Amino acid sequence: MNVHEYQAKALLREFGVAVPEGALATTPAEAAQAARALGSDRVVVKAQIHAGGRGKGGGIKLAATPEEAEAVAAEILGMTLVTHQTGPEGKLVRKVYVEEASEIETELYLAMLLDRASEKFALIASTEGGMDIEVVAAETPEKILTELFDPNLGLRGYQVRRLGFGLGLDAAKVKKLEAFAMGLYRLFVEKDASLVEINPLVVTKSGDLFALDGKLNFDDNALYRQPEIAELRDPDEEDERERAAKEIDLAYVGLDGNIGCMVNGAGLAMATLDMIAVCGGSPANFLDAGGGADKEKVKEAFKLILRDEKVAAILVNIFGGIVRCDLIAEGVVAAADDLGISVPLVVRLQGTNAAEGRAILAKSGLDITSAETLEEAGERAVAAVTSGKGA
Amino acid sequence: MAILCDRNTKLLVQGMGRMGQFHAGLSAEYGTQVVAGAHPGRGGSEIGGVPIFDTVQAAVRATGANASVIFVPPAGAADAILEAAEAGIEVAVCITEGIPVLDMVRAKRALVGTGMRLVGPNCPGLVTPLQCRIGIMPAQITRPGPVGVISRSGTLTYEAVDQLSRLGIGQSTCVGIGGDPVIGTTFIDALELFEADPETQAVVMIGEIGGSAEEEAAEFVQSNMKKPVAAFIAGQNAPPGKRMGHAGAIISGGKGKASDKIAALEAAGVPVAPSPAAIGQTLADHVPGLSA
């Protein structure tokens, strides 16, 4: 789960990590008021969306006076901000964060996350603060320093010191970095974060460190024990269909194509997208109805798929293990009856009670194309879309 | 032979809730020795003919259970894994989906030196055809034979096993290693076991986007394996930054892409099925004479 910058900064502050003073605003007048309250010479007005690259897209602007902050906020609020992380459709800006402008001497990068390969946590730092870290990693990997630490022992002081001296900081600043990194570490473990990223971490002329930007992601699987984090969820930032899917315990990801997919199991669901592509088609979505898919789930899944207007055919691919194909077939028939599905439907049932399931589909009198193998399913779904277009 | 479980396995079920009971029953029907259940507060009772104990330690002492399957809900699952390790269980298979990463990464490191092998979590389990079923796989689609199957997925494993069985190619053991970012038994661990298993002649590995386990496995195959391996990678059409059902199936920071995994495997001499419908055939073409 992602949170906004202003929420991340509040959490960082709570864990003793220095951040600039700032306030949230949802109207230009509030932005002016916030700027006035900060009493700083200059303020920065920052669009609050769940994506990076906001500055380049025009979502971060300086203002010298509260009046200017108001004018700048009026420009940013309501704009559709397009960055390299939002996709071409961009994101609507509903909130801005008004922050005191900072005196910057150096910009560093600091992050904490799980290193899957070593199964340890990683503290990562770079002198190339303010840059896109993926670009730094690709072009100048030697400028990225990593310390792996044991999740049961935690981050050790010597590791931070090694990192700090590696960045070229003097002893006084290394000491400050140690306190800074330990704050991040406590936040990371106490709040079940999956990513803490400070980019840039600013070193001021007076030698202080603070987080000019902060990005926090949290482990969805741990939200049950982090109620205050779960409350930070902003539904406006989530894809509407993905959110609806989550509510009924289905995994859904919208895609660009026109073949709707309903599959049981994440691996098979991914493979079904691949199968469609191999057959020359393009999937409209990823949908994992879960290992325990039943009649009701099938119907809910159809509803979700049909909310996407691009969908010109639906492919149902079920490999029954514990799930019985005859029950799925009943669900498909019931859903097709209730929902009045008007697009071609291709159903592939395999595994437990597949023959019974196929018999139910055949007897239903519904216009359902049956398929036995994965390949047939892909071919027939693609053919259904192609013929539909030709007609 | 086979790996991880066979007809001598004595299985304990941790978490005898609805799902635990249901699958304990199916495993017993398949011929697995289901010797005990552990469920705090229900010790001394019997469920479906299986004696229940309050702790894993008591169950192991009374029944000699050497393997365990864990159906405990996410909040208590890491605890259940550690309890099994301390009680001397040799192989624990954790089916539970949704365990916090912090819990798993800590538990995994705590297992070092305990002698217990963990499979999963978030996995379908193990089947050694006609001998032993641990977990939730539909054992009826398997058939005994010379091919080891390793997969991060559940139903896609069934698809692959079904393709093999239809080609007349049987399996030594089918291992679902799980779709989480941190798992007990990795591709490399399972490959190593299959390489050492005299009954296994070839291996199919089914990977997916996210992480770098397939790349590491490719390196392992190239430098350590004599037995042939074929593969499939799911998620070639998955968009970056989106979690594809499994907690571990996500392309992040430009890493974990299917194309990188396929390239690494092919460079290591592992043919990768061009389509999910060709997993069985890719292995059959790579290793003639497997069907019986």
Side-chain angles (χ1 to χ4, degrees):
Chain A
M1 190 191 100
N2 294 339
V3 299
H4 286 293
E5 177 195 5
Y6 75 92
Q7 297 167 322
K9 284 185 167 162
L11 279 163
L12 287 165
R13 194 178 284 123
E14 194 185 312
F15 281 85
V17 177
V19 294
E21 287 300 319
L24 190 70
T26 55
T27 63
E30 277 177 23
Q33 203 180 354
R36 228 167 268 127
L38 285 171
S40 120
D41 287 347
R42 289 180 312 153
V43 295
V44 190
V45 180
K46 305 169 92 175
Q48 297 297 291
I49 57 166
H50 285 186
R54 292 169 298 167
K56 278 185 204 141
I60 299 180
K61 287 189 170 141
L62 266 171
T65 62
E67 292 69 32
E68 209 179 315
E70 183 166 1
V72 164
E75 281 172 41
I76 297 176
L77 284 165
M79 80 186 283
T80 300
L81 189 51
V82 179
T83 81
H84 68 288
Q85 289 184 1
T86 59
E89 70 280 8
K91 276 190 168 166
L92 178 66
V93 181
R94 294 177 167 90
K95 300 173 221 180
V96 291
Y97 192 53
V98 182
E99 199 172 65
E100 58 182 0
S102 309
E103 290 300 318
I104 298 169
E105 186 175 81
T106 326
E107 292 185 316
L108 304 172
Y109 173 94
L110 193 67
M112 196 172 289
L113 68 157
L114 170 73
D115 179 66
R116 285 172 66 165
S118 67
E119 295 171 335
K120 291 181 176 182
F121 292 128
L123 178 66
I124 296 173
S126 174
T127 51
E128 305 303 288
M131 304 268 295
D132 184 341
I133 199 68
E134 288 171 31
V135 174
V136 178
E139 289 171 4
T140 49
E142 72 282 359
K143 288 189 173 165
I144 293 183
L145 307 177
T146 303
E147 290 286 340
L148 297 175
F149 59 95
D150 186 308
N152 289 328
L153 293 174
L155 180 65
R156 313 307 297 186
Y158 76 87
Q159 296 181 300
V160 186
R161 292 194 293 276
R162 189 159 60 191
L163 209 64
F165 287 116
L167 291 170
L169 301 179
D170 62 34
K173 286 178 191 137
V174 167
K175 201 169 174 189
K176 284 181 175 163
L177 182 70
E178 201 176 324
F180 192 98
M182 287 302 170
L184 294 190
Y185 169 68
R186 283 193 297 113
L187 166 59
F188 189 80
V189 295
E190 287 177 28
K191 297 294 179 190
D192 280 294
S194 49
L195 172 72
V196 176
E197 187 180 55
I198 309 299
N199 189 22
L201 187 172
V202 162
V203 183
T204 64
K205 296 209 167 73
S206 51
D208 288 320
L209 305 183
F210 68 88
L212 186 56
D213 198 0
K215 181 180 175 186
L216 299 183
N217 289 351
F218 295 90
D219 181 359
D220 288 326
N221 285 346
L223 290 179
Y224 75 89
R225 63 185 180 198
Q226 301 290 358
E228 68 287 4
I229 299 296
E231 274 192 18
L232 301 180
R233 182 182 291 277
D234 182 350
D236 287 339
E237 291 291 324
E238 296 175 351
D239 177 273
E240 196 228 329
R241 268 173 282 138
E242 286 175 27
R243 190 176 69 233
K246 214 175 285 171
E247 277 163 19
I248 50 175
D249 208 21
L250 295 172
Y252 176 97
V253 176
L255 302 168
D256 298 330
N258 57 2
I259 300 177
C261 298
M262 183 198 316
V263 188
N264 67 326
L268 190 60
M270 277 187 271
T272 303
L273 309 184
D274 297 338
M275 190 74 245
I276 289 170
V278 167
C279 294
S282 180
N285 66 277
F286 164 96
L287 192 157
D288 170 13
D294 58 16
K295 207 166 156 177
E296 203 44 42
K297 271 271 171 71
V298 170
K299 190 168 159 184
E300 291 300 324
F302 269 119
K303 277 193 203 161
L304 200 63
I305 292 169
L306 288 167
R307 280 166 70 171
D308 181 352
E309 285 167 6
K310 298 191 304 295
V311 169
I314 298 176
L315 170 57
V316 178
N317 182 20
I318 303 290
F319 202 110
I322 302 319
V323 172
R324 280 167 48 193
C325 287
D326 51 335
L327 295 183
I328 296 289
E330 282 173 13
V332 170
V333 171
D337 276 343
D338 292 2
L339 304 174
I341 296 171
S342 58
V343 297
L345 194 54
V346 178
V347 182
R348 184 253 183 159
L349 300 173
Q350 196 51 264
T352 308
N353 293 1
E356 290 88 330
R358 285 196 283 266
I360 290 168
L361 296 181
K363 253 191 294 180
S364 71
L366 289 164
D367 185 16
I368 294 174
T369 306
S370 192
E372 196 172 327
T373 65
L374 184 52
E375 193 155 27
E376 266 175 25
E379 281 167 358
R380 287 175 191 178
V382 173
V385 173
T386 319
S387 65
K389 263 186 195 157
Chain B
M1 276 297 291
I3 68 166
L4 297 167
C5 68
D6 59 24
R7 59 174 58 83
N8 298 316
T9 298
K10 290 184 171 178
L11 184 65
L12 160 76
V13 180
Q14 287 177 256
M16 280 294 263
R18 199 176 56 85
M19 198 171 167
Q21 289 179 40
F22 177 70
H23 287 288
L26 290 182
S27 288
E29 253 174 56
Y30 192 66
T32 309
Q33 297 185 56
V34 180
V35 298
H39 203 109
R42 291 214 213 155
S45 67
E46 214 176 72
I47 299 177
V50 177
I52 307 299
F53 300 85
D54 285 321
T55 67
V56 175
Q57 190 178 56
V60 168
R61 281 188 183 155
T63 66
N66 57 5
S68 149
V69 60
I70 297 169
F71 289 103
V72 175
D79 198 54
I81 290 167
L82 296 173
E83 185 182 4
E86 208 182 298
I89 292 287
E90 291 159 23
V91 175
V93 177
C94 185
I95 307 301
T96 312
E97 178 173 6
I99 304 176
V101 170
L102 182 63
D103 291 7
M104 256 331 289
V105 77
R106 284 176 166 166
K108 172 107 196 245
R109 287 211 84 72
L111 290 181
V112 176
T114 63
M116 185 180 86
R117 177 179 294 281
L118 173 69
V119 179
N122 190 14
C123 81
L126 310 169
V127 173
T128 293
L130 301 185
Q131 295 191 41
C132 185
R133 171 190 186 269
I134 302 181
I136 60 172
M137 279 204 232
Q140 71 275 12
I141 60 168
T142 67
R143 55 184 279 172
V147 174
V149 178
I150 316 168
S151 172
R152 278 170 71 182
S153 147
T155 46
L156 183 56
T157 313
Y158 314 161
E159 174 69 42
V161 167
D162 188 58
Q163 286 177 24
L164 289 170
S165 293
R166 281 163 188 263
L167 290 167
I169 301 172
Q171 303 89 42
S172 53
T173 300
C174 303
V175 186
I177 59 174
D180 273 3
V182 177
I183 52 174
T185 297
T186 62
F187 276 120
I188 292 179
D189 297 329
L191 286 166
E192 199 170 14
L193 292 171
F194 279 129
E195 177 73 5
D197 173 39
E199 222 163 71
T200 300
Q201 292 170 27
V203 180
V204 171
M205 56 173 277
I206 298 157
E208 63 191 33
I209 54 160
S212 56
E214 291 81 1
E215 286 90 328
E216 289 144 27
E219 213 176 299
F220 179 84
V221 171
Q222 192 160 35
S223 33
N224 299 291
M225 283 192 72
K226 294 198 177 68
K227 294 178 184 175
V229 180
F232 176 71
I233 303 295
Q236 297 175 36
N237 295 280
K242 294 283 185 183
R243 221 167 274 284
M244 304 299 277
H246 287 152
I250 181 167
I251 300 167
S252 59
K255 287 184 191 150
K257 288 186 290 220
S259 53
D260 294 342
K261 294 168 187 293
I262 293 169
L265 288 161
E266 286 179 342
V270 176
V272 181
S275 143
I279 301 172
Q281 197 57 51
T282 300
L283 179 73
D285 291 346
H286 185 49
V287 191
L290 288 172
S291 62

